[in-house]
Amino acid sequence: MSEVTVPDGLRCWSVSWPEYTPTDITPPELRPSALAHHAPGWAEAAPTPADVHDWHQRQATALVPFELDDRGWPLHPLGRTGRTGRNLRKWGENAAADPIVVAGTGEQRWVLLITRSDIGVEAIPGGMVDPGETAPAALVRELREETGVDLADHRPTILGRDLVADWRQSDHAWVVSTSALYHLPAQVTAIADDDAADATWWPFGSLDQLDTAVTASGRTLYAAHRPLLERALGHLNRQ
């Protein structure tokens, strides 16, 4: 599936681009024909944004503000993505939680990452916030499910609530992550489970050090999580 490249000058929704024909990334199980018979338990049943009837509420509770187009469809806050359709739980904003677990200090810092089973890259052990769940609860649950590490008794530092360049995002569905820092005195045992193929402590004195270690192992750091890791490093270096 070839993806449409969006020039910087045409990314903004206010800039006219009549020829824009984004690639539909909707998987078979979320296409209207499939949803008419069965909706996966992890996804809302609305075939298109026109079938969603609580847009005003979703806008009011969004972590990152977004607008609706003339059809009443949600628009990605950062503009055109080159993709249309939906490959996420719901249309519009999808809330995620990313716990950044760091052990040690200075040049002896380590960060806990998982190997994602879906795209095979090294990433922060996180995931989507369940319906009715708070972001703090999701941080604890996702970490425990993917690494076996239970930090329910720890109070993390919330680093931010940010749009992330998730590989499943489109013009009308995207991910906003609450990232939080857990700083431990030493490494704890981590065992991969759930959506994680592996759980590994990596050197985290700097992002370059992390990059070098991940690359030397023949693995790849998830690009969408780099800004979150950089923010965590910035916070640690100011302490």
Side-chain angles (χ1 to χ4, degrees), residues 202-203 206-219 221:
W202 296 94
S206 68
L207 199 60
D208 285 343
Q209 185 186 34
L210 174 61
D211 263 330
T212 298
V214 169
T215 301
S217 72
R219 303 186 187 185
L221 187 62

Side-chain angles (χ1 to χ4, degrees), residues 71-94:
R71 299 171 295 176
W73 288 31
L75 294 174
H76 193 295
L78 295 184
R80 298 180 176 97
T81 65
R83 310 181 189 102
T84 191
R86 171 170 65 112
N87 192 14
L88 289 164
R89 172 177 290 157
K90 62 181 185 178
W91 296 101
E93 181 179 285
N94 290 259

